[in-house]
Amino acid sequence: MTDAPSVVAADGGLAGAMPDCVSDPATLCARVYELSGVDWLATHADALIATPARILLVLVLAAVVRALLHRGIRRLTDRTATGSMPTILRPWRNRVRAADPDGVETIAQRRTQRAEAIGSVLRSVASFVVMGIAVVLVLGELGVNLAPIIASAGVVGVALGFGAQNLVKDFIAGIGIILEDQYGVGDVVDLGEASGTVEAVGLRITRLRDVNGVVWYARNGEILRVGNKSQGYAQVVIDMPVAHDTDLERCRTVMQEVADAMYAEEEWAAVLLAEPESLGVEQILSEGVFMRVQVRSTNADQWRVGRELRLRLKERFVVEGIRTPPPLIGATAAGAAGAR
């Protein structure tokens, strides 16, 4: 009779050692206790098993979404770089192919570079957004109160918005420059305060070198207008000064003959894209009359064409006896000396 109470007490002790969650067999705690029989493991099953599993699931999903986004962006940029040219550019492409077979390859290289730059920016933005959301979800699973963090991030964002607004402006302008292909590496551009050949185009800074070898760094957000001398074609315009008593019609004919002769030469056939035009009188000033001739050429050879055409015009003027206006510097200096 004395053994029964002890057995009951022992059973009561075992029953008291069981976790409270065992009463509901649908819970994770009951399943863990059923499998392991360890009460502390069943009690902390959510913290030791469920939370890490959810965190792992969030990280795996984030990695998968990031990989899918990167793959989609890469396919989009590859198609942009190697796909067919837009319809609006096809007529110019045909003209370039007829005049310069390497022009199409240059266009393709520019499109490839621009697509790679855009793809890099899009992949970085996608990674930042996806990983940012993943970090917030992981902190929520760890029981971290996100309200102060979000509020602090908002305050920091406002502070950075005011303090680094020029930096943000430069980055946004740089993305626009790349997307619109306003200029690229190797282009000769005029940015207002500086002009020269572009050596690097970044999201914040554009670096170019002028004819004197000086390297200029221009912030993209401060570039208000761009004159690109390397897109499409170049128009070489030459104004030749002649004396007032010159036979202007004869002079115009001579200039047309010189330009036509240059256009007919095989050496310049791939450089000159259209027949030259002698436009005649452009200006009449006290120092002389300016006669204009213009010719369309490729971008890379516009300066070479201009120098060669000026040389030929000057030599032909000497042969034809077409006089240029006498310099006015000596006369002005003599008049000033006589006045004193």
Side-chain angles (χ1 to χ4, degrees), residues 175-186:
I175 293 174
I177 290 172
I178 295 174
L179 287 175
E180 298 170 1
D181 192 24
Q182 297 179 12
Y183 52 80
V185 176

Side-chain angles (χ1 to χ4, degrees), residues 57-69 130-131 134:
L57 179 62
V58 169
L59 295 179
V60 171
L61 288 178
V64 171
V65 172
R66 177 178 176 272
L68 292 176
L69 289 175
V130 171
M131 292 306 172

Side-chain angles (χ1 to χ4, degrees), residues 176-214:
I177 290 172
I178 295 174
L179 287 175
E180 298 170 1
D181 192 24
Q182 297 179 12
Y183 52 80
V185 176
D187 288 354
V188 179
V189 298
D190 181 2
L191 303 182
E193 296 294 331
S195 60
T197 304
V198 177
E199 292 188 342
V201 181
L203 292 180
R204 193 178 72 88
I205 291 292
T206 294
R207 186 178 79 241
L208 66 156
R209 188 181 300 270
D210 63 13
V211 294
N212 298 318
V214 180

Side-chain angles (χ1 to χ4, degrees), residues 37-81:
V38 181
D39 56 350
W40 68 268
L41 181 60
T43 304
H44 300 89
D46 286 339
L48 297 178
I49 299 176
T51 299
R54 287 194 292 266
I55 292 176
L56 180 61
L57 179 62
V58 169
L59 295 179
V60 171
L61 288 178
V64 171
V65 172
R66 177 178 176 272
L68 292 176
L69 289 175
H70 281 205
R71 181 180 179 184
I73 293 172
R74 190 173 292 106
R75 292 183 63 181
L76 177 63
T77 53
D78 290 344
R79 183 180 302 174
T80 302

Side-chain angles (χ1 to χ4, degrees), residues 182-251:
Q182 297 179 12
Y183 52 80
V185 176
D187 288 354
V188 179
V189 298
D190 181 2
L191 303 182
E193 296 294 331
S195 60
T197 304
V198 177
E199 292 188 342
V201 181
L203 292 180
R204 193 178 72 88
I205 291 292
T206 294
R207 186 178 79 241
L208 66 156
R209 188 181 300 270
D210 63 13
V211 294
N212 298 318
V214 180
V215 178
W216 295 83
Y217 295 88
R219 287 173 43 199
N220 294 331
E222 298 298 322
I223 299 175
L224 301 180
R225 54 99 175 152
V226 178
N228 195 326
K229 302 178 181 179
S230 301
Q231 284 185 351
Y233 59 86
Q235 195 80 3
V236 179
V237 180
I238 298 177
D239 292 335
M240 294 293 294
V242 297
H244 284 282
D245 58 354
T246 302
D247 185 348
L248 299 180
E249 183 60 29
R250 173 59 181 164
C251 180

Side-chain angles (χ1 to χ4, degrees), residues 4 24 45 63 65 97 99 103 109 120 126 148 226 250 255 293:
D24 186 1
V65 172
R97 181 186 287 114
Q109 291 176 355
S120 176
V226 178
R250 173 59 181 164
M255 295 177 70
V293 61

Side-chain angles (χ1 to χ4, degrees), residues 58 62 65 126-140 146:
V58 169
V65 172
S127 298
F128 178 79
V129 173
V130 171
M131 292 306 172
I133 295 176
V135 169
V136 172
L137 293 177
V138 169
L139 292 177
L146 299 179

Side-chain angles (χ1 to χ4, degrees), residues 267-290:
E267 177 185 356
W268 300 96
V271 175
L272 303 181
L273 304 180
E275 295 183 0
E277 295 181 278
S278 182
L279 303 179
V281 178
E282 178 62 25
Q283 283 184 315
I284 300 177
L285 303 177
S286 59
E287 56 267 26
V289 180
F290 289 83

